[in-house]
């Protein structure tokens, strides 16, 4: 009944992320909330580093989100400070003061302008963030700046996460290897839809900030915006991409440059891998599910139907119970409000056709379907039968573990 | 951890519903799915009975819903056949045949036109309904028609319900008492929003069917459409109101008749009481919560915000854990996408102000708030601070019981 100490869907091994020229970092125990674990990450970037980002569209964003939104326009980044244990969200004037104090502490320690410092906070909502605690660890953080290990950075930003989340990709331009590495955190309050949970991506590519921003949004839409754990959108969703420009190649400045698409594809690979890690660490998750909708009137409609299925508590509890309950899938299609004709629907679990033309498939095989549902990685595909629209949304099951985690933890 | 055999929020006593002149009924065990319990209800109405109804707006409605939608236009009703154990939803051609056969069996037994027979089914989705089983019990159902007891009718339509749901109201016109009595079923897959779960209401008022329909919709909007158990909208939501016209008063034919509003208010009282019963029997529920939003830009916006809070799994698990986690309420306001200004929000749990002007209230009292959360009937009130829009949505907590019920039962 209890939640697993480590998600059963955690990866068997973790990648060794390479150093990114121009990026250094360190972690520390500031004692914001947790004891005996790191809870603060300070990354520093060499001059010339640019930044792009996507932030939550929640109408009640955290103070750090407001700060980032204001300073992303500048496009220049020299530092990133992230803490776990306190989201500094819904903290009013105190929240703005905590953000200002955080930026000032880092600015003083590094001698860089406050507007080049980016901030993110994750943890409990509504508690004032004791930003003065950062001052006590800043000297240590600055003196220990190093190019690795990335695992330490990934661990320092965890909250209810049961495993650290890292991903990396490399592309070669003119014989030069360019790296893109990222970390993320997130386990509950995950339905980014509009932005993402906390994720930080680093590259040595020399790329114009406007172009980076332009490449980022579609990659986010197909990765973090395509996952949901519990339909609850965080106040703190933040994805920032820092590009140091240290790779010795000609700068990539326009979308017309063929390297831009190659870079965008690699960026997507990193974001997608991180997003999948977030679902696989969904609070209480024991099954990973990709919900595919095809044949909808258009892609947007397919996405709304897929999301309706992926967010349905009845679908998610059925998956937890290893029950191929396609009736609940039909229900979720119906409640989405999107164009659908009951008598054209067909539904597959994996490759097994369970329903066709609006009723149970003639060849429905209960034993085979039940056996399939015992797997850890499942796919549900619904063909609406009306058009060419398609979408995929990734989710997990809804288990006793989710209730245990969230019925007792003020996060 | 397990679900309660009877909801802890069940009423202590049940009302004795009066006989409604012109309405008789009986129940039977047709063996559709359940063993050793009644699963079919046949109500018969004297000539002159009119009917109004509201049906699910699911794009994948059950075959019985389609049948009712087609025949509501006629406005005349002579019988109602309801079964539990099988929803006859997503059953394709077989579903339409089962509906036709059901109507034919009842029509033959009673000698009334098929178009005056109303049908409703609730239970598993996707299984063909063995309507031929009705034939085996019809003679008994017809011979046992009686004016009571209503408790039997309420029990025959239950599925995962843990208690029967009944409500009644009387109004006096010209010294004559007019009765309105209703029954309902519903426990999971409850987010009617557009219509309702199964609910049947009976009155002896002489009222024009067009007027009855016109009075019904706003009453539904404030009752069944204001409750949510799990955000999942059923394929079978049906509310039908039958008026026999047997009360010896002048017919009520127009909304201008002052009796129309008196009747509408009493009808609302019955529907609201039934809707609250449905929430109090929400699958796994241990707390009843009314979510009140005020100060929104308009009522529709307030409703969407209230629904976002009431459907949030994080809010609902916090309530289950007796945690006054108003940070999650802020999150749910933010994710609704409705106009809101974080720094104007205030939040109350019961009468206790927990947050004001976008941060924890100065007088926040953790002990008092924790004590309040131990109660069974809770209210959460959010003042958006922007306008005059208000709405209330009723919901329950999300517990291990919900997971247990839905992770193992193919409904």
């Amino acid at each position: 009944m209890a939640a697993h100490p480590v998600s059963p869907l955690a990866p068997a091994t973790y990648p060794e992320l390479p150093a990114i020229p121009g990026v250094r970092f360190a972690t520390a125990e500031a004692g914001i909330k947790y004891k005996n674990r790191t809870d603060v990450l300070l990354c520093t970037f060499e001059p010339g580093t640019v930044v792009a980002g996507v932030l939550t569209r929640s109408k009640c964003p955290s103070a750090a989100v407001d700060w980032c939104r204001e300073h992303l326009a500048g496009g220049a980044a020299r530092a990133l400070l992230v803490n776990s244990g306190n989201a500094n969200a819904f903290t009013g004037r105190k929240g703005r003061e905590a953000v200002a104090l955080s930026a000032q502490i880092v600015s003083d320690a590094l001698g860089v302008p406050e507007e080049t410092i980016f901030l993110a906070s994750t943890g409990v909502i509504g508690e004032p963030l004791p930003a003065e605690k950062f001052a006590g660890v800043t000297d240590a953080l600055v003196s220990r700046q190093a190019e690795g290990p990335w695992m330490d950075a990934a661990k320092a930003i965890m909250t209810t996460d049961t495993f650290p989340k890292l991903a990396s990709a490399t592309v070669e331009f003119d014989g030069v290897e360019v790296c893109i590495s990222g970390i993320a955190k997130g386990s509950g309050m995950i339905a980014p839809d509009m932005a993402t949970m906390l994720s930080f991506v680093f590259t040595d590519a020399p790329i114009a900030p406007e172009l980076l921003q332009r490449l980022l949004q579609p990659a986010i839409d197909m990765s973090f915006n395509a996952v949901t754990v519990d339909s609850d959108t965080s106040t703190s969703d933040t994805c920032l991409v820092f590009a140091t420009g240290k790779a010795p190649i000609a700068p990539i400045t326009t979308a017309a440059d063929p390297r831009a698409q190659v870079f965008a594809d690699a960026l997507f690979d990193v974001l997608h891998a991180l997003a999948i890690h977030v679902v696989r660490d969904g609070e209480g998750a024991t099954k990973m599910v990709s919900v595919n909708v095809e044949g909808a009137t258009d892609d947007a409609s397919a996405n709304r139907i897929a999301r309706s299925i992926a967010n349905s508590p009845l679908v998610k509890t059925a998956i937890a119970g290893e029950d191929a309950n396609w009736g609940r899938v039909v229900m979720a299609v119906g409640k989405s409000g999107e164009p659908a004709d009951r008598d054209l629907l067909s539904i597959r679990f994996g490759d097994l056709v369970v329903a066709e033309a609006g009723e149970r498939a003639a060849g429905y095989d209960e034993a085979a379907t039940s056996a399939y549902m015992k797997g850890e990685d499942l796919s549900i595909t619904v063909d609406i039968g009306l058009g060419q629209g398609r979408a995929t949304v990734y989710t997990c099951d809804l288990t006793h573990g989710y209730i245990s985690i969230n019925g007792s933890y003020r996060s």
Side-chain angles (χ1 to χ4, degrees), chain A residues 13-14 37 42 52 139 150-151 177 186 217 227 252 269 271 323 398 403 406:
Chain A
T13 60
Y14 295 91
R37 58 156 279 192
L42 177 67
D139 286 351
W150 282 101
M151 180 63 87
E177 208 164 64
Q217 185 66 55
V227 305
I252 308 171
D269 287 345
L271 293 172
D323 177 8
L398 173 57
I403 307 289
N406 289 300

Side-chain angles (χ1 to χ4, degrees), chain A residues 314-326:
Chain A
L314 287 171
V315 171
K316 293 161 81 88
T317 48
I319 292 165
E322 303 187 334
D323 177 8
N325 195 321
W326 52 270

Side-chain angles (χ1 to χ4, degrees), chain A residues 52-195:
Chain A
V54 178
L55 302 159
T56 187
R57 285 196 225 158
S58 167
K59 301 287 179 176
C60 299
S62 72
V65 164
D66 282 349
W67 174 273
C68 288
R69 207 182 313 270
E70 183 181 347
H71 296 294
L72 268 173
R78 293 301 305 281
L80 166 69
L81 180 74
V82 188
N83 75 273
S84 54
N86 186 311
N88 193 20
F90 208 63
T91 43
R93 183 183 44 79
K94 292 191 196 76
R96 290 185 287 275
E97 289 169 0
V99 155
L101 177 60
S102 304
Q104 190 198 320
I105 290 169
V106 176
S107 173
D108 289 351
L110 297 173
V112 301
E114 289 186 7
E115 61 269 24
T116 66
I117 296 163
F118 289 80
L119 302 170
S121 296
T122 178
V124 66
I125 297 176
E127 288 284 331
L129 172 68
E132 64 282 1
K133 291 191 176 178
F134 296 139
V137 295
T138 305
D139 286 351
L141 284 168
V142 171
S143 67
R144 291 206 308 266
Q145 290 286 304
E147 292 190 325
W150 282 101
M151 180 63 87
D152 287 356
K155 284 182 174 171
I157 65 173
M158 289 165 59
T159 55
T160 56
D161 304 63
T162 73
F163 63 83
K165 297 164 185 72
L166 308 98
S168 188
T170 56
V171 287
E172 206 178 286
F173 294 132
D174 308 322
V176 176
E177 208 164 64
V178 173
C179 295
I180 306 174
S181 289
I183 59 175
K185 65 81 52 180
S187 186
M189 207 178 274
I190 300 287
D193 193 15
M194 304 145 185

